[in-house]
């Protein structure tokens, strides 16, 4: 009798965990396919999934209002994408493991533009900064 109760308890626990994991998948296949998933913090992802993580092409709506459209790898922004910040600054370029890194262009809401190298979310390396008034600086940037 104790074994039966233990097996039933394990089964119920498994079912409840499975339901909880799938509870935020609001459409499609959020395990291995295309779907839409709402995260506990209110952010939302729509696109392809691999092993229940964003992987491939997708759109991520951050809880702060910023929107990322582009490539994902193993749950992280990775590859080429476009990130529109809540401030209306727009970055288009490379991402590595969730962070702006590589070559890219940031158009700031005040009209300034930076085109060049990025590392860990900051302009770093060679680039060109064009101010809204037309003045430019071309050279090295450090994070």
């Amino acid at each position: 009798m104790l074994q039966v109760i233990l097996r039933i308890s394990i089964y119920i626990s498994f079912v409840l965990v499975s339901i909880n994991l799938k509870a935020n998948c609001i459409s499609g296949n959020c395990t291995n396919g295309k779907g839409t998933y709402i995260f506990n913090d209110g952010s939302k992802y729509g696109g392809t999934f691999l092993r229940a993580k964003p992987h491939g092409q997708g759109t991520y709506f951050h809880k702060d209002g910023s929107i990322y459209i582009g490539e994902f790898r193993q749950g992280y922004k990775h590859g080429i994408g476009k990130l529109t910040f809540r401030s209306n600054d727009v970055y288009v370029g490379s991402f590595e493991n969730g962070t702006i890194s590589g070559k890219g262009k940031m158009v700031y809401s005040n009209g300034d533009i930076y085109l060049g190298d990025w590392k860990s979310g900051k302009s770093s390396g060679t680039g060109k900064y064009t101010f809204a008034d037309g003045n430019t600086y071309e050279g090295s940037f450090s994070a």
Side-chain angles (χ1 to χ4, degrees), residues 114-143:
Y114 173 76
L115 175 64
D117 298 326
W118 294 82
K119 184 175 181 179
S120 301
K122 297 183 178 165
S123 52
S124 181
T126 304
K128 180 178 181 181
Y129 196 97
T130 304
F131 295 89
D133 66 7
N135 287 317
T136 62
Y137 168 78
E138 196 164 350
S140 294
F141 292 78
S142 59

Side-chain angles (χ1 to χ4, degrees), residues 2-142:
L2 184 58
Q3 271 187 332
V4 172
I5 292 172
L6 183 59
R7 284 184 186 180
I8 291 172
S9 295
I10 290 171
Y11 177 76
I12 290 172
S13 296
F14 177 76
V15 169
L16 290 175
V17 168
S18 296
I19 289 169
N20 190 35
L21 290 176
K22 300 271 186 187
N24 294 327
C25 185
I26 60 172
S27 71
N29 181 346
C30 299
T31 303
N32 289 305
K34 286 188 175 185
T36 303
Y37 188 91
I38 297 180
F39 294 88
N40 291 332
D41 68 358
S43 56
K44 179 179 170 183
Y45 171 77
T48 57
F49 290 84
L50 180 65
R51 294 185 206 100
K53 293 181 181 178
H55 192 89
Q57 288 294 125
T59 303
Y60 191 96
F61 298 88
H62 292 265
K63 66 178 181 177
D64 70 0
S66 59
I67 301 169
Y68 172 80
I69 302 169
E71 297 175 312
F72 290 81
R73 186 173 80 181
Q74 298 176 2
Y76 294 100
K77 297 176 194 90
H78 193 91
I80 303 300
K82 176 181 178 182
L83 179 58
T84 304
F85 295 88
R86 195 171 98 177
S87 63
N88 288 322
D89 296 344
V90 178
Y91 172 82
V92 177
S94 296
F95 290 79
E96 294 177 7
N97 298 317
T99 304
I100 293 173
S101 281
K103 300 280 186 193
K105 178 180 181 180
M106 179 76 80
V107 177
Y108 296 95
S109 60
N110 68 357
D112 292 357
I113 300 170
Y114 173 76
L115 175 64
D117 298 326
W118 294 82
K119 184 175 181 179
S120 301
K122 297 183 178 165
S123 52
S124 181
T126 304
K128 180 178 181 181
Y129 196 97
T130 304
F131 295 89
D133 66 7
N135 287 317
T136 62
Y137 168 78
E138 196 164 350
S140 294
F141 292 78
S142 59

